[in-house]
Amino acid sequence: MSGYSEFANIYDRLMMDADYEGRSEYIKALFEKFGKKPSLLLDLACGTGKFSRIFAKDGIEVIGVDSSEEMLSVAKETAEQEGFNILFLCQEADELDLYGTVDGAVCLMDSINHITDKKILQKAFDKVSLFLEKDCLFIFDVNTLYKHKEILGDNTFVFEEDGVFGVWQNSFDEESATTDIYLDFFEERDGLYKRYSDEFNERAYSEDELCEMLKKSGFEILEILGDLKLQKPEFQEERIFFIAKKI
C-alpha cells in the first residue's frame, strides 16, 4: 500500500464527504450494543487521525497506528492543536507491537482492503488478536467485491473539492479480485497548481475468506452488517462491517 506521501496534507479535504462523525457514532453504538465500550482503543491504519480524535473526544484513550510517517505527522500535529493526547505509532499492521493490551480495536475506511497479500492480512489479524483483551471487540469495514467489480471497476472519476482537482483511475483484475488505483491531484496555491500523484492497490475479500482468517486468529464473528446498518448486507452493498470478538 502506498504511504500517501505526496498528499497527506490534503487527504482530509479530499475526504470531507466521508461523514466521520456519523461513522464514529455507528462504531460506538456497535461497541455499546455488545456492552463492550472500550476505555483503550486501537485505531489501526488511522491515517490522519480523524477517527482517533473523535473517539478521544468521547473520553476514550486511543492508540493510533499507521504505516505512513506523513499521515501520522498530520495526525499528531492536528491532535495537539485540538488538545488531544493521543499516542501515534508508525507500524505496519502485520508488525503491530503495542506496549500492552487494548480493550477494543477498529480498522476503518476500507483499510483492510489495502492489504492485498492474504498471508500478511492473516498476520495482521494475528497481531490484533495478540494485543486485544479476551472477550473484547475488533470492528472493521471492507469494500465488497460488488463495489470493486461494478463501481470501481475500470472506471475513471474526476472531481473537485476545496481547491483540489482530482483524477482517479482504476484497473480491476477479476481473477485476483484486485483493483489498481492511480491518483492525480492538482492543488491550487496562489493561482498556481501543484500536482500530486500516487498509486496503490485494493483487494476484495469474500465474507468466507475473512471469517476463516478471523477464526484462525482466535476471533468469533458476532455479526456482519451492511454499511452503517444494523441489518445483514444486501446483495449490492458496497461496504460491510465485521464485528468480531476475541475468544
Side-chain angles (χ1 to χ4, degrees):
M1 176 184 172
S2 163
Y4 289 101
S5 59
E6 291 300 320
F7 56 95
N9 287 310
I10 63 173
Y11 179 80
D12 284 338
R13 279 193 283 163
L14 300 172
M15 298 291 288
M16 287 181 65
D17 295 332
D19 189 16
Y20 286 98
E21 292 284 353
R23 291 185 175 277
S24 299
E25 289 301 318
Y26 174 73
I27 296 298
K28 287 185 283 187
L30 293 178
F31 277 115
E32 290 172 358
K33 176 181 179 181
F34 293 96
K36 297 295 181 180
K37 181 179 178 180
S39 57
L40 178 57
L41 178 71
L42 167 65
D43 184 7
L44 187 62
C46 66
T48 59
K50 184 71 172 181
F51 283 115
S52 296
R53 298 193 301 275
I54 295 174
F55 289 125
K57 186 178 180 180
D58 196 44
I60 300 172
E61 188 175 354
V62 181
I63 300 173
V65 175
D66 200 274
S67 62
S68 168
E69 292 182 3
E70 293 80 9
M71 287 287 196
L72 289 175
S73 177
V74 175
K76 187 174 186 299
E77 181 179 356
T78 307
E80 289 176 350
Q81 289 174 351
E82 297 182 7
F84 296 116
N85 183 23
I86 299 173
L87 174 63
F88 290 107
L89 302 175
C90 188
Q91 298 176 352
E92 298 285 352
D94 61 311
E95 297 178 356
L96 182 69
D97 187 13
L98 304 181
Y99 302 104
T101 57
V102 296
D103 59 357
V106 297
C107 187
L108 305 172
M109 301 306 291
D110 58 84
S111 295
I112 293 294
N113 297 102
H114 289 274
I115 305 176
T116 57
D117 187 320
K118 192 173 180 179
K119 292 181 180 179
I120 293 178
L121 180 57
Q122 184 69 69
K123 290 180 181 178
F125 284 161
D126 289 345
K127 288 290 189 178
V128 174
S129 178
L130 177 63
F131 290 103
L132 185 63
E133 295 178 8
K134 184 179 179 181
D135 293 328
C136 292
L137 302 185
F138 175 34
I139 299 175
F140 64 88
D141 64 50
V142 291
N143 282 336
T144 62
L145 179 59
Y146 170 81
K147 180 175 181 177
H148 276 261
K149 186 176 181 179
E150 303 297 337
I151 307 300
L152 298 178
D154 294 309
N155 296 317
T156 298
F157 303 93
V158 178
F159 57 91
E160 187 171 3
E161 185 69 54
D162 194 22
V164 178
F165 176 81
V167 180
W168 175 314
Q169 301 178 76
N170 301 317
S171 178
F172 177 68
D173 181 78
E174 188 164 2
E175 183 177 352
S176 63
T178 58
T179 301
D180 296 327
I181 299 173
Y182 307 92
L183 303 173
D184 280 299
F185 295 102
F186 301 85
E187 181 186 18
E188 183 181 8
R189 292 183 180 179
D190 300 323
L192 299 176
Y193 281 86
K194 182 175 181 179
R195 180 179 178 179
Y196 302 85
S197 297
D198 213 335
E199 60 183 84
F200 55 91
N201 315 93
E202 280 199 20
R203 175 175 175 175
Y205 292 95
S206 70
E207 292 183 21
D208 288 342
E209 283 181 301
L210 292 170
C211 287
E212 180 183 0
M213 285 188 283
L214 286 166
K215 289 177 181 177
K216 284 183 179 179
S217 295
F219 287 101
E220 174 188 354
I221 293 83
L222 300 181
E223 283 192 300
I224 302 174
L225 303 172
D227 190 21
L228 302 181
K229 302 173 184 175
L230 296 178
Q231 295 83 34
K232 292 182 179 180
E234 300 175 0
F235 173 72
Q236 296 183 333
E237 204 79 57
E238 296 182 26
R239 185 190 304 269
I240 58 177
F241 277 83
F242 281 73
I243 300 93
K245 181 178 73 171
K246 167 75 176 292
I247 57 177

